[in-house]
Amino acid sequence: MRMASRPATGLPLIAVLVTLTSCWYDTASVSPVVMFSQPHDVDVDQTGSHFYVADMANNRIHHIVPQTARERVTAPLTGQTGLCSRRDAGNEAGCFNDGRLADALFNRPAGIAVDTENKGVFVADSANHRVRVINIDKDMVTTLAGTGEAGFKDGVAKQAKFDTPTGLDFDFGRRKVYVADSNNKRVRVIEIDSINPQNTTVNTLCHESSCGFLFQEPVDVACNNGCTKLYVVDTTVYAPVEIDIATQSAESLAQDPAFSNGLSGIAVDVNNNVYVTCSVTNTIWVYSSKSAKKQVQLSEQDIAYGQSDNPTKDLRSPMGLSVNILEGKIQLYVADTMHDQIRQITMPTTSLPDAGPQDLAVDAATGDAAADTAVDATTGDAAADTAGQ
């Protein structure tokens, strides 16, 4: 999922992400101690200082805080491991509970999106066929939309039906949640009425009959900067699909047969570069235009969080991802699902002038600066006369 926030100022570049269960963690230690089980998605708040992980096979949502050495953090945020670990258990009702964070139950949480302003976290609770919301201040989990019964129905949110929602993104300005409703082959939109929650509605944004594009298995969505366009990955389409939200028209970006049955996650940075994961080729790609794309290269300096039975530099079934800017650097956070890890990847050089993302003059696909942007060749950062203008 995920749309990049504006850069946080005065925040350090994150060196460590930790998720502990009442444990101590020494940041100087080489071995991570947290254990995820098939983490499926990750999102970061606008400050870059809080991260949330949909830990699918553990049925938990983790809250990750960058810390200095030997500080104590608590996690998971909500959910209980083991209670909903078998989808064939025949007791789906036992895998759902709204209420206090300590009591809430999830069943295969697949997608996550953060509402920084209201300290909320939206969750695509896929096997419960619901979209849930975590209110951190109130210590509560509630259902935003869905009855819990797999099916299709638009309308009032509490009466609407989903079938395996897997990916989410949140439009902060318009208070809309976009949902990849996978088995319904649709992209849905939840329009939140904060004044009268009972008037919150669910509608279909894109389906063959509404936007002329035939989805088969949409799995993740991400807004561009300003949320005028929505990008979707479908495991059966060889490229991301771009939806113009105002006109409800859709078209795919340049297709690549190598992506067959493999696109699994999507995110968009503030310069509207589109990042996708491919779980078949175990790669990440970035589109700098509708036709130009380049593979994101991993390095030995990338950071992996979570204990893996078979740690390697390479990815293994990457799924959801998020993108953020910290100290002028693009940071990708990727759910490396079958390694049971979250990966942090620092992208090539970029800077963010205060004038806005439209002035970001670095192509994320190449790492090259445009002619009118001065970049220090030694540090890779924007020169002083371009930064903060």
Side-chain angles (χ1 to χ4, degrees):
M1 138 11 257
R2 313 312 77 132
M3 181 180 72
S5 64
R6 287 306 309 274
T9 57
L11 289 173
L13 184 67
I14 293 173
V16 176
L17 302 182
V18 287
T19 305
L20 308 180
T21 308
S22 299
C23 294
W24 292 89
Y25 180 70
D26 184 348
T27 57
S29 173
V30 175
S31 300
V33 295
V34 59
M35 293 188 68
F36 298 112
S37 183
Q38 299 179 22
H40 201 271
D41 201 7
V42 56
D43 199 15
V44 57
D45 73 2
Q46 286 181 296
T47 70
S49 57
H50 295 269
F51 302 80
Y52 300 88
V53 177
D55 192 4
M56 178 181 272
N58 277 331
N59 301 299
R60 281 178 162 173
I61 307 301
H62 288 273
H63 178 200
I64 303 172
V65 184
Q67 300 283 345
T68 58
R70 297 185 182 279
E71 283 199 56
R72 194 179 186 188
V73 294
T74 58
L77 179 65
T78 185
Q80 299 180 37
T81 295
L83 294 183
C84 306
S85 59
R86 294 185 57 198
R87 298 189 69 179
D88 59 348
N91 184 22
E92 294 285 325
C95 299
F96 167 79
N97 190 48
D98 279 337
R100 293 174 59 86
L101 299 187
D103 301 323
L105 297 177
F106 293 83
N107 195 357
R108 310 284 292 179
I112 200 161
V114 179
D115 175 5
T116 304
E117 181 178 349
N118 295 285
K119 296 185 179 179
V121 180
F122 299 99
V123 181
D125 194 2
S126 67
N128 277 323
H129 313 294
R130 290 174 165 99
V131 175
R132 318 275 292 280
V133 59
I134 301 168
N135 187 309
I136 298 170
D137 279 349
K138 293 183 179 179
D139 186 33
M140 290 293 292
V141 177
T142 57
T143 294
L144 177 66
T147 65
E149 179 184 357
F152 170 74
K153 183 180 181 181
D154 280 338
V156 176
K158 293 300 178 66
Q159 299 174 13
K161 292 183 180 181
F162 298 89
D163 191 343
T164 318
T166 54
L168 299 173
D169 203 3
F170 179 56
D171 180 351
F172 301 94
R174 300 173 183 86
R175 300 207 53 77
K176 295 181 179 182
V177 180
Y178 293 96
V179 184
D181 191 5
S182 188
N183 285 352
N184 276 323
K185 305 179 181 180
R186 286 170 162 86
V187 176
R188 315 280 290 280
V189 55
I190 304 172
E191 300 187 44
I192 300 173
D193 189 327
S194 300
I195 306 300
N196 297 299
Q198 69 273 15
N199 294 332
T200 295
T201 59
V202 178
N203 294 291
T204 296
L205 175 68
C206 192
H207 180 252
E208 184 180 15
S209 60
S210 60
C211 69
F213 196 93
L214 179 59
F215 289 108
Q216 292 295 332
E217 191 179 10
V219 290
D220 203 6
V221 295
C223 281
N224 71 339
N225 186 32
C227 222
T228 59
K229 298 183 186 297
L230 188 72
Y231 293 90
V232 185
V233 285
D234 183 309
T235 61
T236 67
V237 181
Y238 300 170
V241 176
E242 180 187 272
I243 301 174
D244 185 299
I245 293 175
T247 64
Q248 289 187 253
S249 57
E251 62 176 331
S252 69
L253 278 61
Q255 299 200 17
D256 187 337
F259 292 158
S260 175
N261 298 319
L263 288 182
S264 49
I266 192 162
V268 184
D269 70 21
V270 292
N271 201 35
N272 293 328
N273 295 292
V274 178
Y275 302 79
V276 295
T277 54
C278 183
S279 59
V280 171
T281 59
N282 298 312
T283 53
I284 306 171
W285 296 78
V286 55
Y287 286 79
S288 57
S289 69
K290 290 186 178 181
S291 59
K293 73 178 189 302
K294 186 175 182 179
Q295 185 174 346
V296 173
Q297 299 298 319
L298 306 179
S299 76
E300 298 293 346
Q301 284 70 47
D302 295 335
I303 304 171
Y305 311 103
Q307 186 170 327
S308 177
D309 292 334
N310 183 29
T312 66
K313 184 187 79 171
D314 298 326
L315 300 170
R316 187 180 173 197
S317 296
M319 295 291 178
L321 72 165
S322 182
V323 57
N324 198 36
I325 310 296
L326 289 172
E327 291 194 341
K329 305 288 185 181
I330 293 179
Q331 305 292 315
L332 291 181
Y333 305 92
V334 184
D336 189 5
T337 300
M338 298 312 293
H339 274 143
D340 298 322
Q341 293 181 323
I342 300 297
R343 304 287 288 273
Q344 180 185 344
I345 302 166
T346 301
M347 291 293 291
T349 304
T350 188
S351 67
L352 284 177
D354 288 342
Q358 68 273 17
D359 294 328
L360 175 61
V362 176
D363 187 327
T366 65
D368 296 331
D372 58 351
T373 300
V375 174
D376 187 313
T378 302
T379 65
D381 292 327
D385 62 346
T386 62
Q389 300 298 313

